[in-house]
Amino acid sequence: MIIRKINTDELAQSAQIVFDAFNQLSEQTGVPATPDVQTVVTRLEEYMADSGIPSVMYGGFEDDVQVGFFILRKLGIDEETWEISMLSVAPSQQHSGRGVELLRFAIDEILKLKGVLVVCAVTEGNNHVLEMFAHEGFECEASGIPIGDGELRIWMLRKDMKNASAAIPACPAEGCEGCSAAQMQ
């Protein structure tokens, strides 16, 4: 897979990947579905235009067809904190290692940018993705955080780039369900 920055004319395909992946999760877990792909396109356009929070969008391509997507966003917390957002793999390409490739590429990019802390949110019930992040050294900081009207809940994950562990981390969040090391093994 080739991973590279995407440009404006590739936003629609990127949005379709995010839309399809999220709605597949919606079918599997019952979280509210995204109503249409244009909602995602609009969000990506907003991120691309936001000069206050620098964002870089990446696509993963196989034989010139986009199969994955993610955004790196520098957070205003400090100069060294980055967010991996909307990491998605086309449903037909899931469980093939492409998500891990995208995540490892994102981590490498953050290291090149001298990032020392990475954060991300994973939709509750998306245990496969949570496990993938845990295997790459992310730890659960909080779970069950409601988004919007509360039907959608997320886990907040973080990775200390200076002290990253190769082992599956235990979840330090009290009462955390779904992301304990025992459930991920």
Side-chain angles (χ1 to χ4, degrees), residues 135-168:
H135 279 287
E136 296 303 317
F138 284 79
E139 296 178 353
C140 183
E141 186 152 289
S143 66
I145 300 169
I147 302 295
D149 60 10
E151 287 186 64
L152 179 64
R153 295 182 179 277
I154 59 170
W155 288 302
M156 290 303 301
L157 307 177
R158 66 183 282 141
K159 178 175 180 160
D160 179 342
M161 302 294 273
K162 289 182 180 177
N163 301 310
S165 169
I168 297 174

Side-chain angles (χ1 to χ4, degrees), residues 99-100 103-104 107 120 122 126-141 155-160 164-172 178-185:
V100 173
L103 180 55
R104 288 179 179 164
I107 291 168
C120 64
V122 175
N126 202 347
N127 293 339
H128 178 75
V129 172
L130 185 62
E131 182 178 333
M132 176 183 74
F133 274 91
H135 279 287
E136 296 303 317
F138 284 79
E139 296 178 353
C140 183
E141 186 152 289
W155 288 302
M156 290 303 301
L157 307 177
R158 66 183 282 141
K159 178 175 180 160
D160 179 342
S165 169
I168 297 174
C171 180
C179 63
S180 66
Q183 283 190 314
M184 288 187 277
Q185 293 181 0

Side-chain angles (χ1 to χ4, degrees), residues 116-127:
V116 297
L117 179 66
V118 182
V119 298
C120 64
V122 175
T123 307
E124 191 172 75
N126 202 347
N127 293 339

Side-chain angles (χ1 to χ4, degrees), residues 34-117:
T34 300
D36 58 56
V37 73
Q38 187 54 46
T39 303
V40 182
V41 170
T42 301
R43 176 60 55 96
L44 295 183
E45 289 172 341
E46 289 169 356
Y47 283 156
M48 199 171 257
D50 186 354
S51 59
I53 301 178
S55 299
V56 183
M57 298 183 193
Y58 292 88
F61 295 83
E62 189 72 42
D63 298 325
D64 294 323
V65 175
Q66 189 174 357
V67 298
F69 174 77
F70 68 90
I71 303 171
L72 292 183
R73 299 181 73 209
K74 187 175 187 180
L75 297 183
I77 300 166
D78 57 49
E79 293 291 316
E80 301 170 331
T81 302
W82 287 81
E83 175 188 33
I84 299 173
S85 182
M86 295 190 194
L87 190 136
S88 302
V89 175
S92 65
Q93 301 292 315
Q94 292 176 1
H95 306 287
S96 63
R98 285 176 173 68
V100 173
E101 282 184 73
L102 291 169
L103 180 55
R104 288 179 179 164
F105 183 92
I107 291 168
D108 287 345
E109 289 298 297
I110 292 167
L111 284 171
K112 289 176 191 173
L113 296 164
K114 308 223 185 299
V116 297
L117 179 66

